[in-house]
Amino acid sequence: MNDRQYLMSLIREGEHQQQDFKYRVADAVKLARSVSAFANTDGGRLLIGVRDDGHLSGVRSEEEIFMMHQAAWRYCRPQASIRFDTYHADGRTIVVSTVPRAERRPVYALDEEGHARAYIRIKDENIVASPVHLAIWRQEQAPSGQTFTYGEAERQLMAAMGEGGQWQKLNPLVRRAQLPRPRVITLLARLCRYGLAEWRLSDDHQFEFALT
């Protein structure tokens, strides 16, 4: 399989949870969001020099390649692992940037002011991770041997999750549970980790939670 055949096989997949097309790299900060999202979810690849419709436009300058490196190593905390492979087709240069799933999450993307946000990849979108996702990742880094305990706080939260419809957003759930918000976030993260609750992204791009 030559370079063009390989690229076309990727492009036919379209954009999805583990693949994104970038027509050009004009901003390393924005590119870092994609790197963060892939690293925090299932990994993925960026096809640099490919339009949204799959047309090969090519990487136009060394500056774009420099910004790709900047996105991974200057604007991600911790620095994200990323591999750059160059392919040539139809007289154009295409860069495939492969980002593996991070072993230690979250990987944050920095903005121009140095503020850090973690992203996750949902379908073909990069979404700011919720406080519950951050709590899940913190708990994953904690020493092993943790067990799920069921106390009054857990009972209170699970009772609140059984009210008001199946799927509930975080802030209304905090009010129903009558528990401190940080406590609800911690408990929701534990419920999700143990398969007792699940999350989804609503149509208005907010995270909702429900008991399984």
Side-chain angles (χ1 to χ4, degrees), residues 65-159:
I65 296 175
F66 173 74
M67 281 192 284
M68 293 179 215
H69 288 79
Q70 289 282 85
W73 298 319
R74 180 178 176 183
Y75 291 106
C76 285
R77 292 290 182 274
Q79 290 183 351
S81 298
I82 189 168
R83 188 182 79 238
F84 298 99
D85 296 299
T86 302
Y87 298 89
H88 303 281
D90 300 342
R92 295 174 173 83
T93 298
I94 309 298
V95 176
V96 177
S97 303
T98 304
V99 182
R101 182 180 185 271
E103 294 184 6
R104 295 181 65 87
R105 300 178 292 174
V107 171
Y108 291 94
L110 306 182
D111 63 18
E112 293 85 348
E113 287 75 39
H115 301 136
R117 283 185 171 181
Y119 292 79
I120 60 175
R121 184 81 173 170
I122 300 177
K123 296 182 180 179
D124 61 350
E125 294 186 87
N126 303 323
I127 307 293
V128 177
S130 75
V132 176
H133 289 96
L134 299 179
I136 289 171
W137 294 328
R138 284 195 301 269
Q139 292 175 17
E140 288 175 346
Q141 306 307 324
S144 60
Q146 297 184 56
T147 57
F148 182 80
T149 57
Y150 185 82
E152 178 59 26
E154 288 80 3
R155 184 203 64 77
Q156 206 166 323
L157 176 59
M158 294 176 78

Side-chain angles (χ1 to χ4, degrees), residues 44-59:
R45 58 182 169 257
L46 291 156
L47 275 60
I48 312 294
V50 177
R51 296 179 184 270
D52 289 344
D53 62 3
H55 176 76
L56 300 180
S57 57
V59 175

Side-chain angles (χ1 to χ4, degrees), residues 131-132 135 138-139 170 180-190:
V132 176
R138 284 195 301 269
Q139 292 175 17
L170 178 59
R181 191 173 190 271
R183 182 66 169 147
V184 170
I185 290 169
T186 298
L187 293 177
L188 270 177
R190 291 177 60 203

Side-chain angles (χ1 to χ4, degrees), residues 13-20 38 45 121 123-124:
E13 295 180 13
E15 293 182 303
H16 52 72
Q17 186 149 313
Q18 292 184 276
Q19 182 164 283
D20 199 4
F38 282 136
R45 58 182 169 257
R121 184 81 173 170
K123 296 182 180 179
D124 61 350

